[in-house]
Each structure stands twice: as C-alpha cells, then as structure tokens.
Amino acid sequence: MKQMRGSIVALVTPMTPSGAVDEQSLRQLVDWHVESGTVALVSVGTTGESATLDEAEHCEVIAKTLELAAGRIPVIAGTGANSTTEAIRLTRCAQEAGADAALLVTPYYNKPTQEGLYQHHKAVAEAVDLPQWLYNVPGRTACDLLPETVARLAEIPNIVGLKDATGDLSRVERLRALCGADFLLYSGDDGTGCEFMLAGGDGVISVTTNVVPARMQAMCAAALAGDARTARELNAALDPLHQGLFVESNPIPVKWALTEMGLCQPGIRLPLTWLSAQHHERLRGLLWDLGCISD
C-alpha cells in the first residue's frame, strides 16, 4: 500500500447526455491517468456520483474500471453507504471484482455517534477481507470521524488508511501520532493537500487530478520528497483551479471542465445539474491558463 503515495484521482463517472455510463470516455480517462503518472484511481466515490448509481451500476462501474486499468494502475473502489449491510455488499462486490482496496465514506445523513462509526467500519472490515480506507468528509455527511476513533479503527488489520477532507491541517500530526507511521493519510481537500503532505501525509485523493493529472503528480512528488519550495510553487499555479472546481457542488464543475477538454460527454444525473452559465467564463479561463484547452 505504501507505493500508493502521491496523486490519486477521485475519478468522475463519465455519462452520456441521457445519463448512461459512457464506457468509451471511461477508457480514455483511465488511459490518460496511466500515461500521466497518477498513482491510483478511486472508482465510484463522491466525484464518481456514487449517490446516483444503483447497487448494480455501482458494481458494474468498479468492475469496468478494473478491466480497463488491466493491472497498470491500482483501483480503489468507493463502497461506503449509510447502511452497514449495503456497505458490506458493495465492499464484497469490489473484492470479487479484484479491487486493490476500498474507500468507505462515513455513514451520511443518519448522524451516528463515534461508537456507531467505529462499529460500522469494524463490521465492514470483519465481513470483507480487503484493505480498507476510511473517508471523513463532514461537510457532506453531517458527522465527523474524530482522530481518536480513527486510531481505534487503525488497530483492525485491514483498515489501512484515511482520506481526510476536513481541511484541518492540525489533524495531520495528531493522526500520525495516534495511528503510526504505516497508516496511510490522504488529504481529500485539494486546497490544503500540498500542506497536508508537507505536514506528514501520504498524498491527495483529488478532484483537480481529473483535469491536470501530470501537474498534480509533480506537485505531490515534490511535497513527498520534502521539497517544500517546489511543491508550493507548483501548487500556487493550481490553486485557482482547486477553487474553481468547487464553484458548484462537486462533480458539477469538473465534469463540465472535462467536457470542454473533449474527454467526456455532457452527462450528469439529477439531482445534480449541468454547470450554470454564469461560471463558464471563469472556468474556461482557468483551463486556458493551464493549457488544458487551446480555443
């Protein structure tokens, strides 16, 4: 697992205008990330519209991503749910498809206690013998997986890492001290990802990597090598994009950007809608500045 340090893409699930999964674009994206040096793919996470894929589609997209990756790049399957039994089913499905690991968001909407979060993740880990990464994103789930609870879960052998999307850099040192050097710590917040790695994190599970994979991997490599000056310089050039990709709820802006770049069709599922016209000029300018589009 330690080889998965650096830029990991929170991969979009490309769709046709009717909302069907677009396998041709998925193939193009997987190939691009392999060529660009992205260290791993997260399939059907938040950015992959996990909330609007039914269970069968969820499993099918994970399996198709693994087929297209063909062992060239690790695939981490998003298998979280706010039902423990559903999370177990999805994680088992990912294991059967051959996923390298699973990423499980904390149960959303039902607001479990810390003990409930512990018991949920423990149950999934004991039911499915697959390496599992926790995913804490309180801004979406309405619950916060605290460092002390992460430390309890880190004692379970196949819970091997955490994606932390709080943006709270003070947690990095605390998590490292509680969980040890071998526990993988990833930022889930592009805006603070560079500083997260410089503080001792292992990488970023990134929305921005969908758009500029080689640039993100270069920044991550510098940060992980301890070259703070280079990492910060590279990140400064990317920071406007980090911000721009959240002008509306993720993955609305990133799917629009990939469509502008000719890498996806204009497809997204309700209740998400296509990017509002008022943001087009700003995002198009950011893509132009970074050389992602030429006209």
Side-chain angles (χ1 to χ4, degrees), residues 5 23 38 44-45 48-49 76 86 132 142 194 197 220 226 240 254 260 265 274:
R5 299 179 77 240
E23 292 186 10
T38 301
V44 201
E49 294 178 76
I76 298 94
E86 182 181 354
Q132 294 175 26
C194 178
M197 288 181 286
C220 290
V254 70
E260 285 290 293
Q265 297 187 61
W274 205 235

Side-chain angles (χ1 to χ4, degrees), residues 81-84 105-121 136 141-146 149:
N82 61 351
S83 159
T84 304
V105 69
T106 54
Y108 42 87
Y109 186 78
N110 43 20
K111 300 175 72 171
T113 63
Q114 293 300 303
E115 183 61 24
L117 292 171
Y118 173 78
Q119 294 294 341
H120 168 82
H121 285 292
N136 187 33
T141 62
C143 67
D144 187 1
L145 185 66
L146 297 178
T149 306

Side-chain angles (χ1 to χ4, degrees), residues 91-156:
T91 307
R92 187 169 288 133
C93 178
Q95 182 186 48
E96 291 169 354
D100 295 275
L103 176 69
L104 291 106
V105 69
T106 54
Y108 42 87
Y109 186 78
N110 43 20
K111 300 175 72 171
T113 63
Q114 293 300 303
E115 183 61 24
L117 292 171
Y118 173 78
Q119 294 294 341
H120 168 82
H121 285 292
K122 178 174 180 286
V124 180
E126 290 179 344
V128 188
D129 184 22
L130 182 70
Q132 294 175 26
W133 299 354
L134 312 170
Y135 177 18
N136 187 33
V137 55
R140 282 187 179 262
T141 62
C143 67
D144 187 1
L145 185 66
L146 297 178
E148 292 73 19
T149 306
V150 175
R152 290 180 68 196
L153 288 165
E155 296 176 359
I156 299 170

